[in-house]
Amino acid sequence: MALLEMKNMTMRFGGLTAVSDFDLTFQGGEFMGLIGPNGAGKTTVFNVASGFYKPSQGNVVFKGKDTRGLKPHGVTALGVARTFQNIRLWHELSVLDNIRIAQHYRMGYNLMDCFLRTKRYKRAEAKIDSIAWQLLEQLDLKRYAEEKPNNLPYGLQRRVEIARALSVQPDLLLLDEPAAGLNSADVDGLIKLIRWIHKEFKLTIWMIEHQMTVVMSLCEYIKVIDFGRTIAEGTPSEIQQNPAVIKAYLGDSEI
Amino acid sequence: MLESLIQNVLNALQWGSYYSLIALGYCLVYGVLLLINFAHGDIFMVGAFIGLGVATFFLGNLGPEFGLSGPVVLALTIPLTMILTAAVGVTLERIAYRPLRRKGAHRLYVVITALMCGLVLENGNLAILGASRRSFPQLIPTQVYDFGLFSVTNVKIAVILAAILVFIFLQFVVTKTKMGMAMRAISWDKFAIPLMGIPVDSIIVFTFILGSGFAGLAGVLFAMSYPVLEPYMGAMVGWKAFIAAVVGGIGDIRGAFAGGFLLGFVEIMVVAVFPSTMRDLISFTILLVILTWKPTGLFGMAKTTKI
Amino acid sequence: MAIRNDPGATIRAGETLATSGFDLRNLSVPAILLIAFVGLLAACMTGALNLYMQTVLMFMGINIIMSTSLNLINGNMGEFACGHAAFMAVGAYVSSLVTVIMFTQSKFGAPLLPPELTLLAFPLALLIGSLAAALVGLLIAIPSFKTRGDYLAIITIAALYIVKSAIENIDAIGGARGFMGMRRVTNAMEQTLDLPWMVIWIFIGTVFTVWIIRRYVSSTYGKGVMAICQDEVAAEIMSVNTNHIKLVTFMLSSGLAGLAGGLFAHVLGYINPGSFTILKSTEALVMVYLGGMGSISGAVMSAMLFTLLLESLRFIIPWIDQLLHLIHVLPAGYEISQVWKWVLIPLLLILLMQFRPEGIMGNRELSDIFPRLRKFYKFK
Amino acid sequence: MYLQVDNLRVKYGNIEALHGISFTVEQGEIVTLIGANGAGKTTTLHTIMRLPPPEAPKVVSGDILFKGKSLLNVPPHEVVDKLNIALVPEGRHIFGNLSVEENLQLATYGRKGDPTIAKDYQRVYDLFPRLAERRKQRSEQLSGGEQQMLAVGRALMTKCEFIMLDEPSMGLAPLLMYDMFRTLKQLNQEGLTILLIEQNANLALKFAHRGYVLDTGEIVASGPCSQLRDDPEVKKAYLGG
Amino acid sequence: GCGGDEQKPASQEGGNIVIGFNIPLTGDIPKVGESSRQAAEMYLQQVGGKIDIAGKPYTLKFVYEDNESKAESAVNAQLKLIEQDKALGIIGPMASKQAVPGGEVADANQTPMIAPWSTNPATTTDRPFVFRACFLDPFQGPVVAKFATEEFGAKKAAVLFDVASDYPKGLAEFFKAAWEEIHGPGSVVAFESFTTKDQDFSAQLTNIIRSGADVLFTPQYYSEVALIVKQAKELGWNKPIMGSDSWGSAELMTLCGDACKGYYFSTHYAAAGATGKTKEFIDAFKSKYGYVPDDVAALTWDALGMMVQAVQNAPLTGNLAQDRVAVKDALAAIPSYEGITGSMKFDPQGDPVKSAVIVKINDAGEFEFFKSVAP
Ligand SMILES: Nc1ncnc2c1ncn2[C@@H]1O[C@H](COP(=O)(O)OP(=O)(O)OP(=O)(O)O)[C@@H](O)[C@H]1O
Ligand SMILES: Nc1ncnc2c1ncn2[C@@H]1O[C@H](COP(=O)(O)OP(=O)(O)OP(=O)(O)O)[C@@H](O)[C@H]1O
Ligand SMILES: [Mg+2]
Ligand SMILES: [Mg+2]
């Protein structure tokens, strides 16, 4: 069974078709890139995949389940986690709490347990805590556990966002422009981190990115869309040579 | 049945006009600062009292005699009241809201401050002028035009016209002028306004002048048709006008205008059709249903969350 | 990489993990509360606190319940709900109806239960009132799925008007005339066992409220509320069932307001729809924002401060008047009367906001301001 | 001297963010400011603009001179309107409730009756054809990159002679990014002075004439770009592998 | 207990008599509090701050507490007066919303209280320490109904009242019952209501005009009356309008102007053409405050008079608790008090037995005695 299957997915906003006839299948374990000019519909595809938008047309099936009837938190619970193009951390909560709350679906206790602090509550909280601390450790964020994300440098905020997504323990991780706003030196670190995550957690990763160094060094397979339509797909080297992609997206790097 | 229907439509139009006039002021300030200016109802009250003071002065009841006729006094009272009320609004902005804004306070703190300012205006008036109600002098004789089926007074017609004119004026200002554009832009992102070469504070002051000025106008008109003035007269109308503004879609001039009339119609028609003891029960249920059906009000733009 | 604060100082990993095992700090709060409780009882019984002071304390407790519970929605969840008085009214009417029907000779007939049972049944009646209020809270929670911010404010105001108008229209519970008979219930309690029962119940109710809210917001479950406040979209996408959390939060908050209402009704012995107007909601709002959004200790402190301020002005205003006359600032005929109270209070609050534009506590708790307190008691 | 920043020390609350930096920009130049995240680049620009509280960083000492005149007591809207300095802020800050066209219009607030406005519109739409297509759309619905275009376009609509760009390439697709830099270069040749902050240091150093390297509130290196590009220290710390 | 000014034993040269006022100085009905307070201050001034009890001069001390028109605040104020200020007796609260719980507190703490203005029967029911100075709704409603029937020959009546305020609501209901008793069910053809602080009544009045009623009864406060009457006329109403004692304020005429002339209302006393004590009171009040006193002022005056008389009659011992009981007994025992609002005595519930008058607003805008109606 495929992990994620999108068939003929079309997304319209009023008169505007943001994505049309998008097809994609993940078997599990891939590292896929999604690139395309601004406004091509990349984020929209992610929004559909994470259940935030219901597609106007077409199917989205995750682990054999049609996600169109699910609310976003339900889709996440199935195993899709994501980061956002503009960082969306809960800025008034500590880094640790950010990572705790993302495990909400897995709490497994109810309001009464919460009031009475039952065994079940304590067990669940301990588990949540241990997962959170483990992730902080692995992503080298432990020092900032009690810090508010707002007070962290941009690069670290990106990392916290990735940690938060990982705490969902997803099967599919969607990264929306993880390198945006990072300086060249930090980008190198990020590439290493993502590669390590891909291996360590045995995840399927799907990434949108405009920085070609990142895309080319990480992705095994790339899909290019423009005006909501797929214009090319293939391995990084194929894409770099593809005249349509160069014309619509890569352009001429001479300034 | 028909006659009372026409009569009630007229009643609703007039009553709705007041809600509209006040809601427009709410909406302006909200549209710029996202501040629910809970003092607005009380600024309206202050407007009525200022109107009373100005009118009494020109009628010669406070000292110097001018020997002016009623309509002349009215013609003087309206602009003067609008100016003075605007000054009150701007003063509140300067001494209470602006410092908070400067300190970057959460917007709800400004809302609470506004609520407190309203209380100060109400109770300050009570403490200074005493609890006696004031009667607004009759500046122009009330003409009752009785058409058999229904009757209507000159003041009623004037009020409805005033509401419509104010609406058209404000709608023009907000949608067609750069000033209006700046006003809308501030509510979205105050930070970037100076980068466009626009002085934020002047725009805000301008908004308060408009909003409070028209509250003053509403005050005078209100005092002419309901000539009993008391310090708490603005509180209830203020809350309801706020409700009207939101049901219309807060932040949108059309919404405030339509919301005001809608509330007027609902309140009057519910009384006309149902037992009047149930008025609040039924009219607010209707408003709730409207909001459930259109969660952002009649004209409100759903804020799409772009991820 | 530059970090604003020294990161080392904030590491408390070990501390947070070590939640099991016996700890003396677990006992410090119950001990303090017990001492306070016994002291309060003794003071009431010996007359060290006269009835007036007792009543002020009781209203203080009720205000604490109101402000902490509203804080859950307005502070933690970041909504702007202005209809808290409606839930209070529902709680007040329902629990009063229960006790009056059960224990007194009223127009609903003879008492159904012997008065000795009042002591046992009173908390139950309060619970029923709270549940009823929570149910009404549910009705508001449902529109809140789709509506946020100022639109929700209107929904809550509309609900307030609807509840008030509904009560006015039900003649069986007195309509605008109000409803009474609760005094006989409280008297029955005192006859069964001669203690200042309302003081006791309010003390318990207040502690219960703060306790339950603390437990709620300090759990991962309850922290979903804060996540919704700061970024609802992110919360929903990061697996928080936002509708569920909103529902629970609204019901919890309105249920506790209902509890406040039940206590209020039994302290006064008489309720009237006119007591639950938008002004009552406004007071609760003021207490929440004065305390600081999302801070429980702030809400408690501001409720105490607000109640005390309101009462103390009864004494302070005459002093001011005397003083001003003494130094001949005021003409002999003019007196600063209590009318000025409601000018002074908002002015004071406006000033306070200017100096602390984030409320007394901001969104911090006492333990954040005095970290050393953690040594003495546990906050979890 | 066109723009001269002189020993500028700046605080946020009690934390000093700039520890006395000095740099200059000459008329007609392109100068870039590079440095790690949190180095204080944005702070520098905000200080020059004198943005109003609560965002405003507080100047402890030092001065900012523009054409010999101190900017420290000029309100921000006058910096834009009277001194013709424009800023493309970090994080776009477009007005989401206005249409694309209105956003551009608003930037001409102080240019009543200026005949060159129409030409400027055309220039922006030529540069970013995407914006022309989306002219009537509420700008909050634009994609991230489109919003960035709008932010740059908007700054160009003020009567600017000196433009400061804070990470303009963030979120832009390569094609557009190169297009934009080419256009900026062309504008520079027509007389626009540019101060650029860019995370992509390689690109910035290729684009600009001179550069300054900022590290935790201090300038640690400066010089012509070609020189900086070859500096091993700079290479190691900022240009990546 | 708390220290402070304990009453001196009666054997010494007099002492302090503290009387508390629990009145709404702010909130919904600040005018009520102000009027009451003005009457009290005038009283204090007239007696020179002293009263004689058994030949000894006592200092009379009034404490005014604001109850903000809120029930809980009224309870606090009441307890403060009882516990902190050691009031011997209490005047107020005014509106029933505060007087019912206020009476509860006074009774529980064995402190005599006279509510001058509360008409809710619950205020005094089964509360030996609680009295009132005004007549109750069950009395006034039928008086008006009977009068309107006889005077105008009206057959169908309309009522307009505030459903959220218990005084008008109660009176409206009693009037309706009385009217339907005379003219049969359905003869009240319009029973319209609004909510406190409403200012527009056009929809209700439109209904009323359409209903074909012969007379409109509106037991509202004078500020609302002015609006109601004006709007009714604007909508074409030209039949009689009747009111209740809450119309009885000189302010009615300043607010209403000519519009109210020719209408009738039932009340305690007629200001125009008043004689004796009543006239003295009105003249004194008018010269002091510049306007004719309203019903609140008059009722406060009478309540105060009865309280003082009871204090003078009671055997004071200096023990506050005993004195309070004695004052209560003295109040209940007053045989007949000649007040400015008529002569009255308390029935066993503590409600006054007094007669009503019907007042006509004449063309000079004065409240002219028209007819007296005994219970
Ligand atoms: N909620 C919405 N309502 C209307 N239009 C929308 C909405 N969301 C996206 N769009 C439109 O859909 C198109 C695709 O947007 P999307 O955010 O997916 O682009 P993108 O490929 O992620 O671009 P970028 O690289 O700039 O982030 C854009 O033109 C945008 O204006
Ligand atoms: N509003 C603020 N309040 C307090 N500190 C701030 C504020 N803005 C920035 N800082 C701090 O000032 C320092 C410099 O920040 P600045 O934003 O200028 O860096 P930058 O070089 O622009 O970084 P980036 O590349 O992430 O945009 C950082 O340590 C940052 O945390
Ligand atoms: Mg995108
Ligand atoms: Mg920056």
Side-chain angles (χ1 to χ4, degrees), chain A residues 104-174:
Chain A
H104 226 254
Y105 75 96
R106 173 150 29 84
M107 253 167 355
Y109 61 83
N110 60 29
L111 195 61
M112 272 302 137
D113 294 319
C114 166
F115 291 154
L116 301 176
R117 302 274 141 122
T118 55
K119 278 246 166 56
R120 185 147 56 132
Y121 170 87
K122 289 193 175 132
R123 232 181 300 127
E125 290 279 327
K127 173 131 188 273
I128 288 174
D129 261 5
S130 77
I131 291 175
W133 281 108
Q134 197 187 343
L135 268 173
L136 288 177
E137 176 89 66
Q138 285 170 324
L139 296 198
D140 198 17
L141 288 167
K142 210 165 166 181
R143 291 186 291 156
Y144 313 116
E146 299 289 332
E147 207 74 41
K148 288 188 176 150
N150 247 351
N151 298 346
L152 298 179
Y154 201 77
L156 279 182
Q157 293 188 21
R158 283 272 179 214
R159 195 144 19 122
V160 173
E161 223 190 12
I162 293 175
R164 182 176 71 172
L166 286 176
S167 75
V168 173
Q169 300 191 326
D171 298 303
L172 172 64
L173 178 64
L174 310 176

Side-chain angles (χ1 to χ4, degrees), chain B residues 30 34 36 38 95-97 99-100 103-109 111-113 115-117 119-120 123-128 236 239-240 242-251 277-282 284-285 287-288 291-297 300-301 305 307, chain C residues 74 78-80 82 142-143 146-159 161-169 233 237 278-279 282 285-286 288-293 334 339-347 349-350 353-360 362:
Chain B
Y30 185 91
L34 295 185
I36 309 170
F38 276 130
I95 62 177
Y97 308 157
L100 277 184
K103 292 184 186 115
H106 190 284
R107 87 182 175 91
L108 290 181
Y109 281 93
V111 172
I112 296 296
T113 304
L115 206 55
M116 295 296 115
C117 289
L119 284 179
V120 171
N123 294 299
N125 181 340
L126 179 68
I128 293 167
M236 194 53 132
W239 280 104
K240 292 213 177 152
F242 169 51
I243 293 172
V246 174
V247 171
I250 187 148
T277 50
M278 306 280 226
R279 189 196 66 191
D280 281 2
L281 195 66
I282 297 170
F284 282 101
T285 310
L287 296 184
L288 261 189
L291 270 185
T292 319
W293 162 63
K294 272 193 87 86
T296 51
M301 183 69 102
T305 20
I307 308 187
Chain C
N74 286 38
E79 296 287 7
F80 188 56
C82 336
I142 290 172
K146 285 201 284 179
T147 310
R148 266 196 79 95
D150 304 315
Y151 294 98
L152 194 70
I154 292 310
I155 288 182
T156 54
I157 295 179
Y161 276 108
I162 290 172
V163 166
K164 181 167 171 272
S165 178
I167 296 175
E168 273 160 9
N169 274 293
V233 169
I237 291 181
I278 205 146
L279 269 178
T282 311
L285 282 176
V286 167
V288 167
Y289 293 98
L290 180 65
M293 289 168 74
Y334 190 82
V339 180
W340 286 93
K341 180 156 97 180
W342 276 103
V343 184
L344 288 178
I345 290 173
L347 272 179
L349 292 176
I350 292 174
M353 302 257 174
Q354 304 288 342
F355 289 114
R356 286 203 73 87
E358 70 283 357
I360 300 174

